[in-house]
Amino acid sequence: MKEDVQNDISLLKEGDEEAFGRVYEATKADVCRTVKFLANRPSDVADIVSEVYVELIRSIGSYNESLPFRQWLYGLAARQTANWNRKAWRYFRIVAKQKQYTSVGAAAAPEEAWLRKERRGELSDGVRRLSGKLRAVVVMRYYHDMTFPEIVAALAVPLGTVKSRHDQAMKKLRAWTETKTEEKESNVHVY
């Protein structure tokens, strides 16, 4: 997010509609990606993003400008997504969207590139299987490169809770990955 957004946030708090447009344009791509990771269905993303910005307008007065706006906004996006999913009585599932890797290395063999791509896909499947609370921590930590204190601020939960959710998620992902590896090895046919 651009640093010049901070001035627009102050103007937005005063009711400047043009400032909202600038804040929206500067943040919509990040909010949309975050919601895509946290939403149950891709078809819900646009509606949830709209809800995030409606809530942003409603609650901008409570935003403390001495804190990073990015954390506050990602927390808002995570809460709105959780609310949307809860209202629909669905399980919290992540939409498959991986980071775009522009290159896999000039010296890498095609087989190595294929294996890396397959492993990333498998890991995404594992993340999709996590509960919403665990998935939110994983997405913020590894997709948005947020620190634990930043995640605490975004989700408004204690540090111990964030660390516990992170540990639980990592254990579940390791177990799931090991199971997938064992399944693959048992399906290998030697001729």
Side-chain angles (χ1 to χ4, degrees):
M1 260 179 254
K2 299 176 183 173
E3 296 302 322
D4 55 321
V5 171
Q6 201 64 35
N7 185 45
D8 288 326
I9 293 166
S10 297
L11 294 172
L12 179 59
K13 286 177 98 171
E14 296 170 7
D16 186 331
E17 290 179 22
E18 289 179 9
F20 172 76
R22 291 187 299 272
V23 169
Y24 173 78
E25 288 301 320
T27 61
K28 70 179 178 181
D30 287 335
V31 168
C32 190
R33 279 192 300 268
T34 300
V35 171
K36 281 181 183 179
F37 270 106
L38 299 174
N40 284 349
R41 300 180 316 171
S43 60
D44 291 341
V45 171
D47 292 330
I48 297 170
V49 169
S50 295
E51 290 292 321
V52 169
Y53 284 101
V54 167
E55 186 60 28
L56 173 109
I57 292 169
R58 279 189 207 136
S59 59
I60 193 69
S62 66
Y63 168 63
N64 179 351
E65 291 185 50
S66 67
L67 301 174
F69 181 69
R70 180 182 95 142
Q71 292 172 12
W72 184 80
L73 183 61
Y74 291 154
L76 188 67
R79 286 187 299 278
Q80 287 302 317
T81 304
N83 289 342
W84 181 276
N85 290 332
R86 196 176 311 111
K87 287 177 190 174
W89 293 96
R90 295 182 211 123
Y91 291 104
F92 216 155
R93 298 190 181 206
I94 195 166
V95 174
K97 176 93 170 115
Q98 298 178 357
K99 286 186 178 179
Q100 300 289 326
Y101 290 93
T102 56
S103 67
V104 288
E111 299 84 16
E112 292 174 14
W114 180 82
L115 284 172
R116 276 195 293 265
K117 184 177 180 182
E118 184 174 311
R119 284 187 202 119
R120 284 193 306 268
E122 288 175 357
L123 189 56
S124 291
D125 289 344
V127 172
R128 272 189 232 110
R129 295 173 188 271
L130 294 173
S131 70
K133 291 178 180 182
L134 300 182
R135 189 175 328 122
V137 171
V138 170
V139 168
M140 288 183 178
R141 179 81 171 128
Y142 297 104
Y143 181 75
H144 291 300
D145 296 322
M146 294 173 73
T147 64
F148 286 130
E150 290 172 332
I151 297 170
V152 165
L155 296 179
V157 295
L159 178 61
T161 301
V162 170
K163 287 183 176 182
S164 173
R165 289 177 185 174
H166 179 267
D167 289 343
Q168 288 175 30
M170 293 300 102
K171 286 177 185 173
K172 288 183 181 202
L173 286 173
R174 278 188 212 102
W176 188 82
T177 302
E178 289 171 7
T179 302
K180 291 298 283 182
T181 302
E182 290 171 6
E183 286 174 6
K184 279 185 173 182
E185 289 173 359
S186 68
N187 291 330
V188 172
H189 300 288
V190 178
Y191 296 99

PDB file of all heavy atoms in Angstrom, residues 150-161:
ATOM      1  N   GLU A 150       1.760  -7.828  14.328  1.00  0.00           N
ATOM      2  CA  GLU A 150       0.868  -7.236  13.325  1.00  0.00           C
ATOM      3  C   GLU A 150      -0.414  -8.056  13.191  1.00  0.00           C
ATOM      4  O   GLU A 150      -1.508  -7.503  13.050  1.00  0.00           O
ATOM      5  CB  GLU A 150       1.570  -7.148  11.971  1.00  0.00           C
ATOM      6  CG  GLU A 150       2.670  -6.116  11.922  1.00  0.00           C
ATOM      7  CD  GLU A 150       3.492  -6.155  10.643  1.00  0.00           C
ATOM      8  OE1 GLU A 150       3.609  -7.243  10.015  1.00  0.00           O
ATOM      9  OE2 GLU A 150       4.035  -5.098  10.272  1.00  0.00           O
ATOM     10  N   ILE A 151      -0.286  -9.376  13.264  1.00  0.00           N
ATOM     11  CA  ILE A 151      -1.467 -10.249  13.189  1.00  0.00           C
ATOM     12  C   ILE A 151      -2.343 -10.037  14.422  1.00  0.00           C
ATOM     13  O   ILE A 151      -3.571 -10.002  14.324  1.00  0.00           O
ATOM     14  CB  ILE A 151      -1.053 -11.719  13.031  1.00  0.00           C
ATOM     15  CG1 ILE A 151      -0.302 -11.923  11.702  1.00  0.00           C
ATOM     16  CG2 ILE A 151      -2.282 -12.635  13.091  1.00  0.00           C
ATOM     17  CD1 ILE A 151       0.370 -13.278  11.556  1.00  0.00           C
ATOM     18  N   VAL A 152      -1.707  -9.885  15.588  1.00  0.00           N
ATOM     19  CA  VAL A 152      -2.453  -9.604  16.827  1.00  0.00           C
ATOM     20  C   VAL A 152      -3.298  -8.350  16.643  1.00  0.00           C
ATOM     21  O   VAL A 152      -4.488  -8.337  16.963  1.00  0.00           O
ATOM     22  CB  VAL A 152      -1.478  -9.441  18.020  1.00  0.00           C
ATOM     23  CG1 VAL A 152      -2.169  -8.808  19.204  1.00  0.00           C
ATOM     24  CG2 VAL A 152      -0.882 -10.788  18.399  1.00  0.00           C
ATOM     25  N   ALA A 153      -2.689  -7.299  16.096  1.00  0.00           N
ATOM     26  CA  ALA A 153      -3.420  -6.044  15.897  1.00  0.00           C
ATOM     27  C   ALA A 153      -4.537  -6.205  14.872  1.00  0.00           C
ATOM     28  O   ALA A 153      -5.635  -5.664  15.047  1.00  0.00           O
ATOM     29  CB  ALA A 153      -2.449  -4.947  15.451  1.00  0.00           C
ATOM     30  N   ALA A 154      -4.276  -6.962  13.812  1.00  0.00           N
ATOM     31  CA  ALA A 154      -5.271  -7.128  12.754  1.00  0.00           C
ATOM     32  C   ALA A 154      -6.468  -7.950  13.212  1.00  0.00           C
ATOM     33  O   ALA A 154      -7.612  -7.628  12.892  1.00  0.00           O
ATOM     34  CB  ALA A 154      -4.624  -7.782  11.537  1.00  0.00           C
ATOM     35  N   LEU A 155      -6.223  -9.015  13.969  1.00  0.00           N
ATOM     36  CA  LEU A 155      -7.309  -9.907  14.374  1.00  0.00           C
ATOM     37  C   LEU A 155      -7.889  -9.575  15.747  1.00  0.00           C
ATOM     38  O   LEU A 155      -8.902 -10.150  16.135  1.00  0.00           O
ATOM     39  CB  LEU A 155      -6.820 -11.363  14.368  1.00  0.00           C
ATOM     40  CG  LEU A 155      -6.403 -11.923  13.009  1.00  0.00           C
ATOM     41  CD1 LEU A 155      -5.913 -13.354  13.160  1.00  0.00           C
ATOM     42  CD2 LEU A 155      -7.547 -11.836  12.006  1.00  0.00           C
ATOM     43  N   ALA A 156      -7.222  -8.694  16.471  1.00  0.00           N
ATOM     44  CA  ALA A 156      -7.673  -8.286  17.804  1.00  0.00           C
ATOM     45  C   ALA A 156      -7.810  -9.486  18.741  1.00  0.00           C
ATOM     46  O   ALA A 156      -8.812  -9.661  19.434  1.00  0.00           O
ATOM     47  CB  ALA A 156      -8.976  -7.497  17.726  1.00  0.00           C
ATOM     48  N   VAL A 157      -6.779 -10.336  18.730  1.00  0.00           N
ATOM     49  CA  VAL A 157      -6.716 -11.479  19.649  1.00  0.00           C
ATOM     50  C   VAL A 157      -5.354 -11.431  20.335  1.00  0.00           C
ATOM     51  O   VAL A 157      -4.425 -10.812  19.835  1.00  0.00           O
ATOM     52  CB  VAL A 157      -6.917 -12.825  18.923  1.00  0.00           C
ATOM     53  CG1 VAL A 157      -8.316 -12.929  18.333  1.00  0.00           C
ATOM     54  CG2 VAL A 157      -5.873 -13.054  17.859  1.00  0.00           C
ATOM     55  N   PRO A 158      -5.204 -12.093  21.493  1.00  0.00           N
ATOM     56  CA  PRO A 158      -3.922 -12.067  22.209  1.00  0.00           C
ATOM     57  C   PRO A 158      -2.793 -12.743  21.421  1.00  0.00           C
ATOM     58  O   PRO A 158      -3.039 -13.627  20.587  1.00  0.00           O
ATOM     59  CB  PRO A 158      -4.209 -12.848  23.495  1.00  0.00           C
ATOM     60  CG  PRO A 158      -5.688 -12.849  23.640  1.00  0.00           C
ATOM     61  CD  PRO A 158      -6.249 -12.771  22.254  1.00  0.00           C
ATOM     62  N   LEU A 159      -1.565 -12.352  21.724  1.00  0.00           N
ATOM     63  CA  LEU A 159      -0.387 -12.905  21.066  1.00  0.00           C
ATOM     64  C   LEU A 159      -0.323 -14.421  21.247  1.00  0.00           C
ATOM     65  O   LEU A 159      -0.018 -15.158  20.306  1.00  0.00           O
ATOM     66  CB  LEU A 159       0.887 -12.248  21.606  1.00  0.00           C
ATOM     67  CG  LEU A 159       2.206 -12.768  21.037  1.00  0.00           C
ATOM     68  CD1 LEU A 159       2.270 -12.531  19.524  1.00  0.00           C
ATOM     69  CD2 LEU A 159       3.386 -12.089  21.729  1.00  0.00           C
ATOM     70  N   GLY A 160      -0.620 -14.890  22.439  1.00  0.00           N
ATOM     71  CA  GLY A 160      -0.603 -16.329  22.694  1.00  0.00           C
ATOM     72  C   GLY A 160      -1.575 -17.088  21.796  1.00  0.00           C
ATOM     73  O   GLY A 160      -1.293 -18.196  21.342  1.00  0.00           O
ATOM     74  N   THR A 161      -2.712 -16.487  21.531  1.00  0.00           N
ATOM     75  CA  THR A 161      -3.707 -17.109  20.650  1.00  0.00           C
ATOM     76  C   THR A 161      -3.178 -17.199  19.228  1.00  0.00           C
ATOM     77  O   THR A 161      -3.318 -18.225  18.564  1.00  0.00           O
ATOM     78  CB  THR A 161      -5.021 -16.312  20.687  1.00  0.00           C
ATOM     79  OG1 THR A 161      -5.498 -16.276  22.045  1.00  0.00           O
ATOM     80  CG2 THR A 161      -6.076 -16.926  19.786  1.00  0.00           C
TER      81      THR A 161
END
